[in-house]
Amino acid sequence: RTEFALKEIMSSGGAEDDIPQAERKTVTDFCYLLDKSKQLFNGLRDLPQYGQKQWQSYFGRTFDVYTKLWKFQQQHRQVLDNRYGLKRWQIGEIASKIGQLYYHYYLRTSETSYLNEAFSFYSAIRQRSYYSQVNKEDRPELVVKKLRYYARFIVVCLLLNKMDVVKDLVKELSDEIEDYTHRFNTEDQVEWNLVLQEVAAFIEADPVMVLNDDNTIVITSNRLSETGAPLLEQGMIVGQLALADALIIGNCNNQVKFSELTIDMFRMLQALEREPMNLASQMNKPGMQESTEKPARRENPHKYLLYKPTFSQLYTFLAASFKELPANSVLLIYLSATGVFPSGRSDSEGPYDFGGVLTNSNRDIINGDAIHKRNQSYKEMHCLHPGDLYPFTRKPLFIIVDSSNSVAYKNFTNLFGQPLVCLLSPTAYPKALQGMCGMAFPNNLNNPLMAFLFVSGLSSMRRGLWEKCQDYLRKINRDIAQLLTHSRSIDQSFLQFFGDEFLRLLLTRFVFCSATMRMHKIFRETRNYPESYPQLPRDETVENPHLQKHILELASILDVRNVFLENTLDDY
């Protein structure tokens, strides 16, 4: 292929004999690197999606070739322009592939610094207008490359909370789509317009705006900062377990999503990450990072993001995570999924009798469905039942369920004596919040102040007040941490997980969320409250008078005390 391309290029550039040997070698070497890079990049699709070891050496080789290719085209640009006819969109394609490599490396490692590297390459494409000449060529497939680049760049910007850039990109993408569909009259117009609608809904998903004095929107980050998790008191006895792996599963019907990331998955993945650093500045080295150089230590738990998985897919990833979980480590499972309720009455109360949450169904098991519908005594097959997770409780397991049937997971039994906690969302929300209920629970675990403002009926606030409330919320979190560690009747599983910063923050936020909803005037049914397995001692945690006083004080700062009950304890 290289030889053929070379002959074509040389013959179009004049007599082959007229070309100096060194320049001919430059073109040959470039063609070889380009072919090799494409071959390796395409091979990434064949790597197993699960398992953390098998892919690393292949990724390393791919990075090496792209590093050489990128530097080679920079060093020999003039020769490649004259003898190869290198076009700017081809340089853009190389940069775009490097951006994709960094993004996929982030997905594989959960190291947020690689997002910054992806951003720098995607940004360079836009700043240097590498794709600007594509529209002048009568080749729709090149325009599609440009549109896909925009979509990928938007995903990276969303993950980095660069919302100003996202809005600019969406406007540019909209213009590009309009031009593309007008010129080529293609069949994929509807699909590209759907991409625009999805990202617009994603941008507007936050229910509350924080505003600067000039009314510009403040971008708030939900990743773990150095001051994020409450510090442990000296001498506090808690477990030494560390969160090592997380499965983040999204299978809700009609939820805001972009690409294969629902808004709930997006929020939860950020709750399990630290603020990213820039790798290049960290290493005092401009441009591409060599594939052998890695951050000193991995700060974030590894994550698998599963959008609408089948039961088989979910179980495969779960088994891979379980198998590779290091000693003294925790596996977290986040399930944001439609509830599946038991179809018939059952005399028993086992782990398969309460339903669970939906898994995606493949069309090739329609016959199985037909049999199921004829016989009510069968269990729902496209469902993750609590009993399905029993084998994995042989290791420390931390489960979060956000579903209309989350309470099915209250019916757990700790068979193996390992630390096990399930945090369960409300199964229903007050009518005033319906339609927005998907935001209530994940927002509480990811951005509790945003959720507090939302349930209090506030849609915007000034930055100064926001920061004052965040400071007060940090104090509340510290006090909740003390309530949990000083409790005499709390199940030890909670404390076993308390040594990990991410899990400690999730637990304190869960208690804050539960206490807030119990005090709120419109949350009056028991199904409106979060629950947990094992149960938390209410009087020492979610109904503790000291915590209730804090919540009323926060409500007073925001001037929304009227939406909360003053004498909560009298109402039980």
Side-chain angles (χ1 to χ4, degrees):
R1 191 172 43 165
T2 303
E3 289 298 317
F4 175 75
L6 204 53
K7 283 176 183 172
E8 286 283 305
I9 292 155
M10 296 302 191
S11 60
S12 65
E16 198 171 330
D17 296 338
D18 295 344
I19 299 170
Q21 186 67 32
E23 292 187 7
R24 191 178 306 155
K25 185 178 185 312
T26 297
V27 175
T28 308
D29 290 350
F30 178 75
C31 287
Y32 169 78
L33 284 172
L34 192 62
D35 272 359
K36 187 70 178 168
S37 68
K38 287 177 180 175
Q39 180 188 336
L40 285 167
F41 192 90
N42 292 336
L44 292 172
R45 297 180 192 130
D46 301 326
L47 293 176
Q49 290 178 288
Y50 49 85
Q52 295 177 41
K53 304 288 189 296
Q54 305 94 320
W55 56 271
Q56 283 178 325
S57 61
Y58 192 95
F59 252 92
R61 288 205 306 278
T62 311
F63 264 119
D64 285 344
V65 171
Y66 270 99
T67 304
K68 288 172 187 169
L69 179 63
W70 185 253
K71 288 177 179 173
F72 194 90
Q73 63 81 26
Q74 285 178 319
Q75 290 162 358
H76 304 283
R77 181 75 56 83
Q78 193 169 355
V79 173
L80 293 171
D81 281 350
N82 295 337
R83 302 299 185 192
Y84 178 84
L86 185 68
K87 294 184 167 62
R88 289 188 67 74
W89 67 262
Q90 289 173 305
I91 302 169
E93 268 298 278
I94 297 168
S96 180
K97 288 281 199 298
I98 295 169
Q100 286 177 66
L101 271 177
Y102 273 120
Y103 173 67
H104 284 288
Y105 209 71
Y106 156 72
L107 290 180
R108 293 268 184 177
T109 62
S110 299
E111 181 54 66
T112 36
S113 304
Y114 293 115
L115 283 174
N116 278 330
E117 299 301 309
F119 177 83
S120 67
F121 274 89
Y122 284 147
S123 219
I125 293 169
R126 184 165 168 247
Q127 286 164 4
R128 298 172 195 174
S129 306
Y130 282 139
Y131 280 125
S132 61
Q133 301 300 309
V134 160
N135 294 21
K136 294 180 181 176
E137 301 200 27
D138 196 27
R139 293 172 62 188
E141 73 276 11
L142 288 185
V143 183
V144 169
K145 283 180 188 286
K146 185 178 185 178
L147 299 182
R148 285 180 179 158
Y149 149 72
Y150 269 107
R152 292 183 183 116
F153 194 6
I154 287 168
V155 170
V156 167
C157 290
L158 285 171
L159 288 166
L160 287 171
N161 293 312
K162 294 182 182 289
M163 292 305 178
D164 291 347
V165 183
V166 171
K167 285 171 186 174
D168 291 342
L169 291 174
V170 169
K171 187 177 183 309
E172 289 172 28
L173 177 59
S174 177
D175 294 341
E176 293 288 347
I177 290 170
E178 193 175 329
D179 179 67
Y180 166 65
T181 52
H182 177 73
R183 283 174 60 213
F184 297 109
N185 194 25
T186 58
E187 293 177 2
D188 55 357
Q189 179 178 357
V190 175
E191 291 170 35
W192 281 110
N193 283 330
L194 183 62
V195 168
L196 284 175
Q197 289 166 24
E198 283 184 353
V199 73
F202 215 92
I203 294 168
E204 292 164 12
D206 272 338
V208 180
M209 287 187 296
V210 183
L211 301 173
N212 285 310
D213 292 339
D214 60 357
N215 284 340
T216 54
I217 296 173
V218 178
I219 306 304
T220 58
S221 173
N222 302 320
R223 287 190 172 92
L224 182 64
S225 63
E226 288 182 14
T227 57
L231 295 172
L232 292 171
E233 290 177 277
Q234 201 164 3
M236 192 184 284
I237 299 170
V238 294
Q240 299 303 307
L241 297 171
L243 178 59
D245 229 42
L247 266 75
I248 298 177
I249 296 148
N251 199 8
C252 280
N253 297 326
N254 307 318
Q255 195 176 55
V256 172
K257 74 169 196 68
F258 182 58
S259 186
E260 292 199 334
L261 200 61
T262 68
I263 194 71
D264 284 357
M265 293 169 71
F266 175 72
R267 287 183 173 136
M268 186 48 60
L269 78 85
Q270 294 207 337
L272 301 178
E273 291 179 349
R274 298 178 188 278
E275 284 295 342
M277 292 183 295
N278 187 296
L279 282 183
S281 62
Q282 184 187 342
M283 297 173 176
N284 301 316
K285 180 177 170 195
M288 267 196 74
Q289 177 212 342
E290 297 291 344
S291 58
T292 53
E293 294 180 11
K294 290 175 185 171
R297 61 194 181 101
R298 198 182 79 195
E299 296 281 3
N300 298 325
H302 172 262
K303 296 183 296 296
Y304 289 118
L305 306 176
L306 302 180
Y307 175 66
K308 296 204 167 180
T310 62
F311 178 81
S312 301
Q313 289 168 330
L314 198 161
Y315 230 57
T316 302
F317 279 85
L318 196 47
S321 278
F322 180 82
K323 177 176 177 279
E324 296 195 345
L325 198 69
N328 301 315
S329 296
V330 182
L331 172 60
L332 181 147
I333 303 170
Y334 172 71
L335 296 163
S336 168
T338 304
V340 176
F341 297 89
S343 51
R345 286 195 170 187
S346 173
D347 295 332
S348 61
E349 290 196 351
Y352 288 88
D353 294 318
F354 297 94
V357 298
L358 189 69
T359 55
N360 212 0
S361 58
N362 278 335
R363 290 176 185 173
D364 58 2
I365 18 185
I366 290 171
N367 294 337
D369 273 350
I371 295 166
H372 164 69
K373 287 182 172 61
R374 283 201 305 271
N375 190 333
Q376 291 281 302
S377 66
Y378 290 131
K379 307 301 179 194
E380 172 58 59
M381 112 172 42
H382 305 304
C383 170
L384 188 74
H385 298 268
D388 292 325
L389 297 178
Y390 274 27
F392 304 102
T393 61
R394 287 175 169 84
K395 293 182 181 180
L397 195 60
F398 193 99
I399 303 166
I400 302 170
V401 186
D402 185 12
S403 173
S404 54
N405 191 26
S406 59
V407 290
Y409 293 81
K410 265 201 327 184
N411 304 288
F412 246 103
T413 306
N414 191 337
L415 298 176
F416 303 105
Q418 291 293 313
L420 172 65
V421 162
C422 304
L423 305 184
L424 311 171
S425 73
T427 55
Y429 290 87
K431 283 182 181 176
L433 297 181
Q434 280 171 13
M436 297 284 278
C437 59
M439 295 177 177
F441 190 64
N443 234 358
N444 266 293
L445 300 180
N446 163 266
N447 191 337
L449 181 55
M450 186 82 75
F452 190 89
L453 298 172
F454 171 59
V455 297
S456 302
L458 298 174
S459 59
S460 66
M461 70 180 307
R462 293 286 163 197
R463 181 177 194 154
L465 185 55
W466 169 268
E467 288 170 353
K468 180 181 178 183
C469 291
Q470 284 286 33
D471 285 341
Y472 193 71
L473 196 53
R474 277 190 278 273
K475 171 180 164 50
I476 295 176
N477 268 335
R478 285 195 298 272
D479 286 359
I480 292 172
Q482 286 187 7
L483 290 177
L484 291 170
T485 52
H486 292 181
S487 167
R488 294 185 178 184
S489 53
I490 193 168
D491 188 283
Q492 286 303 300
S493 280
F494 290 102
L495 300 182
Q496 289 290 323
F497 292 126
F498 219 66
D500 181 88
E501 276 187 289
F502 292 105
L503 299 180
R504 182 158 74 247
L505 196 54
L506 287 173
L507 286 168
T508 55
R509 285 172 172 177
F510 176 79
V511 171
F512 174 74
C513 151
S514 302
T516 299
M517 289 179 178
R518 286 168 187 277
M519 292 183 69
H520 201 290
K521 286 180 180 176
I522 64 169
F523 288 78
R524 296 324 307 145
E525 299 179 51
T526 52
R527 61 189 188 141
N528 296 159
Y529 306 142
E531 298 201 45
S532 67
Y533 169 88
Q535 277 199 344
L536 284 164
R538 283 190 193 175
D539 56 331
E540 292 181 292
T541 57
V542 296
E543 290 174 11
N544 178 278
H546 181 65
L547 175 55
Q548 290 176 340
K549 187 180 169 188
H550 275 330
I551 289 169
L552 289 176
E553 182 59 35
L554 181 60
S556 295
I557 294 170
L558 292 163
D559 199 22
V560 290
R561 192 157 174 155
N562 60 309
V563 303
F564 292 94
L565 297 164
E566 295 279 344
N567 301 313
T568 332
L569 292 176
D570 299 341
D571 296 328
Y572 285 91

